[in-house]
């Protein structure tokens, strides 16, 4: 009978230890989720496409001479205020969306004269000034909603907050 109680006591002790460790892990995980994360991301929704933007995109598609050949690239250098500084022939325009309801700082559109919705994009924070030292930050690109010949670009500061930043964009064909 004594052996039975020894085994039972061992099993109970191991079960209590397991539950304590599991409960502590759950409590630690719950606390980590409750704390605000540094540099938390905000909504990444794109601004709505206006009728004027739709019309400009259609006009650009009709005006195309020819898209770059396979293996070629289209590229642009865009300032923090959305001005197109330098670009290849197939880049039509760039614009910075004015911050307001549903629009954050650092949101841009780069318009091309051919369909770039299924192409590969590369964007980087960059300038064309004589110092060639771009500001710190983060950047991302995606196909522009409802506009197959445009790329949406979002820039952020180093802590993840929305911020206007100059950038370079490259579209591989």
């Amino acid at each position: 009978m004594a052996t039975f109680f020894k085994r039972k006591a061992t099993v109970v002790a191991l079960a209590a230890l397991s539950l304590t460790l599991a409960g502590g892990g759950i409590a630690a995980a719950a606390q980590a989720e409750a704390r605000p994360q540094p540099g938390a991301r905000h909504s990444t929704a794109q601004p709505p496409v206006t009728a004027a933007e739709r019309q400009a995109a259609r006009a650009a598609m009709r005006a195309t001479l020819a898209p770059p050949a396979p293996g070629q690239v289209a590229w642009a250098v865009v300032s923090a205020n959305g001005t197109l500084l330098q670009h290849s022939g197939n880049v039509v325009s760039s614009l910075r969306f004015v911050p307001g309801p549903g629009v954050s700082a650092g949101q841009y559109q780069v318009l091309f004269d051919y369909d770039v919705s299924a192409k590969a994009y590369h964007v980087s924070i960059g300038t064309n000034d004589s110092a060639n030292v771009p500001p710190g930050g983060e950047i991302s690109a995606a196909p522009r909603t409802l506009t197959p010949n445009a790329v949406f670009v979002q820039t952020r500061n180093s802590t993840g907050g929305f911020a206007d930043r100059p950038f370079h964009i490259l579209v591989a064909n």
Side-chain angles (χ1 to χ4, degrees), residues 4-168:
F4 174 75
F5 285 118
K6 280 185 182 178
R7 286 186 188 161
K8 188 173 182 183
T10 304
V11 169
V12 169
L14 287 175
L17 179 62
S18 299
L19 289 173
T20 302
L21 292 175
I26 292 169
Q31 285 179 342
E33 289 183 65
R35 281 182 273 157
Q37 298 297 316
R41 302 291 185 240
H42 307 286
S43 170
T44 57
Q46 295 184 21
V49 178
T50 65
E53 289 171 7
R54 248 190 313 265
Q55 186 177 4
R58 285 189 197 118
M61 289 282 274
R62 286 191 298 270
T64 186
L65 299 174
Q72 297 292 312
V73 297
W75 58 271
V77 177
V78 180
S79 71
N81 68 6
T83 302
L84 192 59
L85 299 173
Q86 298 171 328
H87 61 89
S88 62
N90 294 100
V91 179
V92 175
S93 66
S94 64
L95 79 98
R96 180 182 65 87
F97 293 101
V98 178
V103 180
S104 302
Q107 293 184 328
Y108 302 86
Q109 172 181 293
V110 180
L111 188 64
F112 297 83
D113 65 359
Y114 67 104
D115 186 341
V116 294
S117 61
K119 306 295 183 187
Y121 316 126
H122 176 78
V123 289
S124 61
I125 303 292
T127 66
N128 73 337
D129 66 7
S130 58
N132 287 325
V133 178
E138 302 171 7
I139 188 167
S140 57
R144 177 73 169 117
T145 303
L146 302 174
T147 312
N149 58 324
V151 176
F152 175 75
V153 177
Q154 172 70 66
T155 61
R156 299 174 187 271
N157 59 28
S158 295
T159 62
F162 294 124
D164 295 334
R165 295 284 188 257
F167 63 92
H168 299 177

